Amino acid sequence: MRDDTAAPTHGRQPLLNDALVVLTAPTQAWSDAAGDLGGAAIHGIFHGDWRYVHGLALRVAGEPIEATGTARSADRASFHGVARAIDDDTPDPRVLVERRREVAPGALVERVRIADGLAHPVEAEVELAVDASFAELSSVKSGAPRPVALTWRETQTGLEATDGTRTLAIAAPGAELARDGDRVVARWRLHVPAAGAAEAVLELRLADPTTVVGAASAAPLGQLPPSGDAALARWAARALEDLQALLLDAGQGPFAAAGAPWFMTLFGRDTLITARMLLPLSLEVAEGTLRTLAARQGTTTDATTAEQPGKILHEIRQSTFTMPGEGISLPPVYYGTIDATPLWIVLLHEAWQAGLPLDVVQELRPALEAALGWLRDHGSPDGSGFLKYIDETGTGLANQGWKDSGDSIRFADGRIADGPIALCEVQAQACQAAEGGAALLEALGDAAGAQEWRGWAERMRERFRAAFWVERGGERFPAIALDGSGTPVDAKTSNMGQLLGTSLLSAEEEAAVARLLVDERFASGWGLRTMASDEGGYWPLSYHCGSVWPHDTGVVIEGMLRAGLTAEARTLSAQLVRTADAFDGRLPELFAGFGADEAATPVAYPASCRPQAWSAAAVVPVHRALAAR
């Protein structure tokens, strides 16, 4: 018999585009534009992989504040409004409210300041209601949060809730605290003098001994030089502030969390690509990323986690991360990624070129040799020489490149390709890794090893040229992938752009790809579409088949610059600067692929994460492209 009382396993994933976030990794607070939490599914205060608070509402004299404006940075926000319930009857507001929020690792402080512009004092009853709700992040993402039972106790400073592992401490100096179930109301009775002000302060502390990542030490990022472009300068300021707020540490140095709200942790691919883009601004983040991933490099073969010797992981969590609507259940340490291993080698080589000392490379040599060994011994399970993936569990990621949604690898007519899949950009990353690995081995005194890997790269170039290039409709371009039968998957996609500057293609081939990518079917006016608009699978609000991902555009720009294709890089860069300005300097994870001829401003993808580390880091190659002469 069907149980209609059972809680659903999943609902609708929360939308994010209208919410405001304040964060310092691994802690984040999502609210409405006026500062209240609780009115939308995404609202809450999160720490690590858990939500602790779902609601935080301000009332003055029993009424919500009427908002007049918001000022914000990455880790703090000020919400301005008026309190007409205690004002006089004249049209001009004279009692003002400033609500200041600051988020630090494991903490949120809320300050409510009442300013009286009247000729007489006012009495202000200020209430902040906290709705505690401990739920795993994955359940919030699924749209069906599963709160756990809490126990409460009084402390010297206020109240504390716990689920037996995690704790939420609430302190409100000078307030009366009243609890009803899991709701705590802090109430102050403030005397506000004429032409004066009074303040109430609420402090929340979040603690979880099971977190797998923690706050980074200072690790300040460098600054980009002046560009003379006001829009680019605004983007750079916001992006670098966000990146600083996203830095984490798991014991081996700083690295960037992938992004908020769902990916506030270590992601192999995202973290590596972010660190590569940030190399001109921070060797410390590159070294921290390399060491953190090397410390967790695969050592054994385990189909349930996709671990293999030498493989670089995909992500780490506090517990199993489930996506019920997609049938996905990922173990806490998951290795289901085809590209993180070559990207780790590429980052090590580029960091060394940027000044990472050779003695650090020597320390990381065992990890380098293991990663190269994975390319040779495990990356190509069928012996074809192409790096391929397939999920062996049925509950892992069906696609294990950066376009990791289940429907992202499509033929020109829109059909979804069957695995095992060999992605075009992964072969390029492997080729670049082999060349970079050879240079590192040579610097470490291993000439024979260097020769072996240069030969491996050359054979990859030959195989790729024979298997991946397709001709269709009078155009010749690299397929997005080979499917399980070795057939080229012939849709035109942005993946081909990530072949540029990797040594996989000849100069003539790179020029042909770049010309195609600045065609209006790809270049939307806001950035590079993930799929050309004339393909059968194209849809502007598809996650990976028509949307624009700023990091993807940034990676392609970087490749164009390495290949000497400056004009094309500048074309895409100018589009991304225009887009960043439209998003107030905070580029989201992705946005819709509508062209500038279809929409006067870029159209949001409503479930897009932000801030996203690699989207923010794209400002670095864009700055370089626009500074090029």
Side-chain angles (χ1 to χ4, degrees), residues 159-228:
L159 293 170
E160 183 179 275
T162 182
D163 63 357
T165 301
R166 285 152 285 275
T167 58
L168 165 67
I170 302 174
E176 298 174 3
L177 286 179
R179 183 173 69 85
D180 181 7
D182 292 331
R183 164 171 275 214
V184 174
V185 177
R187 184 176 293 109
W188 296 262
R189 291 174 174 82
L190 300 181
H191 175 79
V192 189
E199 183 176 82
V201 180
L202 176 75
E203 299 178 359
L204 305 181
R205 302 286 171 180
L206 322 169
D208 184 352
T210 71
T211 53
V212 293
V213 293
S217 57
L221 300 173
Q223 296 296 311
L224 290 167
S227 64

Side-chain angles (χ1 to χ4, degrees), residues 216-260:
S217 57
L221 300 173
Q223 296 296 311
L224 290 167
S227 64
D229 183 325
L232 179 56
R234 288 191 292 269
W235 177 19
R238 185 68 181 272
L240 295 180
E241 178 185 90
D242 283 342
L243 285 159
Q244 187 70 49
L246 286 168
L247 292 182
L248 289 168
D249 196 324
Q252 290 79 32
F255 62 88

Side-chain angles (χ1 to χ4, degrees), residues 272-296:
L272 286 160
I273 289 174
T274 300
R276 283 184 68 195
M277 289 186 182
L278 289 179
L279 267 173
L281 306 183
S282 178
L283 268 177
E284 186 180 359
V285 169
E287 183 177 347
T289 299
L290 289 163
R291 289 188 181 276
T292 300
L293 290 167
R296 293 156 180 81

Side-chain angles (χ1 to χ4, degrees), residues 350-373:
E350 292 184 352
W352 171 64
Q353 288 182 312
L356 188 71
L358 190 60
D359 60 356
V360 175
V361 177
Q362 180 66 50
E363 286 183 57
L364 292 169
R365 181 172 183 170
L368 167 64
E369 292 179 339
L372 288 167

Side-chain angles (χ1 to χ4, degrees), residues 384-386 424 426-436 438 450-469 476 499 501-507 509-510:
S384 66
F386 292 123
C424 67
V426 172
Q427 317 316 313
Q429 292 157 357
C431 189
Q432 190 175 11
E435 292 282 9
Q451 183 178 3
E452 174 190 349
W453 284 103
R454 289 193 176 105
W456 192 95
E458 180 56 34
R459 292 190 294 276
M460 174 64 83
R461 286 187 281 267
E462 294 170 358
R463 286 192 299 271
F464 187 92
R465 192 162 285 115
F468 270 82
W469 284 85
R476 185 171 184 270
L499 313 183
T502 64
S503 83
L504 184 69
L505 304 182
S506 69
E509 291 166 340
E510 288 182 321

Side-chain angles (χ1 to χ4, degrees), residues 351-554:
W352 171 64
Q353 288 182 312
L356 188 71
L358 190 60
D359 60 356
V360 175
V361 177
Q362 180 66 50
E363 286 183 57
L364 292 169
R365 181 172 183 170
L368 167 64
E369 292 179 339
L372 288 167
W374 180 85
L375 296 184
R376 181 190 60 227
D377 302 333
H378 299 282
S380 180
D382 62 358
S384 66
F386 292 123
L387 271 63
K388 296 184 176 183
Y389 62 81
I390 192 165
D391 172 47
E392 297 180 10
T393 66
T395 57
L397 295 175
N399 283 310
Q400 297 181 4
W402 86 260
K403 292 180 179 177
D404 58 2
S405 56
D407 64 351
S408 61
I409 312 303
R410 294 175 177 265
F411 288 89
D413 60 7
R415 286 178 297 123
I416 297 173
D418 295 324
I421 297 293
L423 292 169
C424 67
E425 77 273 17
V426 172
Q427 317 316 313
Q429 292 157 357
C431 189
Q432 190 175 11
E435 292 282 9
L440 291 168
L441 291 174
E442 191 167 63
L444 293 169
D446 184 358
Q451 183 178 3
E452 174 190 349
W453 284 103
R454 289 193 176 105
W456 192 95
E458 180 56 34
R459 292 190 294 276
M460 174 64 83
R461 286 187 281 267
E462 294 170 358
R463 286 192 299 271
F464 187 92
R465 192 162 285 115
F468 270 82
W469 284 85
V470 298
E471 294 190 21
R472 180 168 59 80
E475 294 178 315
R476 185 171 184 270
F477 55 90
I480 183 177
L482 304 181
D483 72 2
S485 67
T487 301
V489 183
D490 61 347
K492 295 189 297 292
T493 67
S494 65
N495 298 58
M496 70 177 81
Q498 298 199 18
L499 313 183
L500 301 175
T502 64
S503 83
L504 184 69
L505 304 182
S506 69
E508 293 77 12
E509 291 166 340
E510 288 182 321
V513 168
R515 282 195 300 272
L516 184 55
L517 293 176
V518 295
D519 182 281
E520 63 182 7
R521 292 168 295 173
F522 272 115
S524 68
W526 307 113
L528 182 66
R529 292 186 178 101
T530 45
M531 179 177 281
S533 59
D534 60 345
E535 295 299 311
Y538 170 79
W539 179 246
L541 277 167
S542 168
Y543 195 57
H544 286 130
C545 297
S547 59
V548 177
W549 286 63
H551 96 274
D552 183 35
T553 306

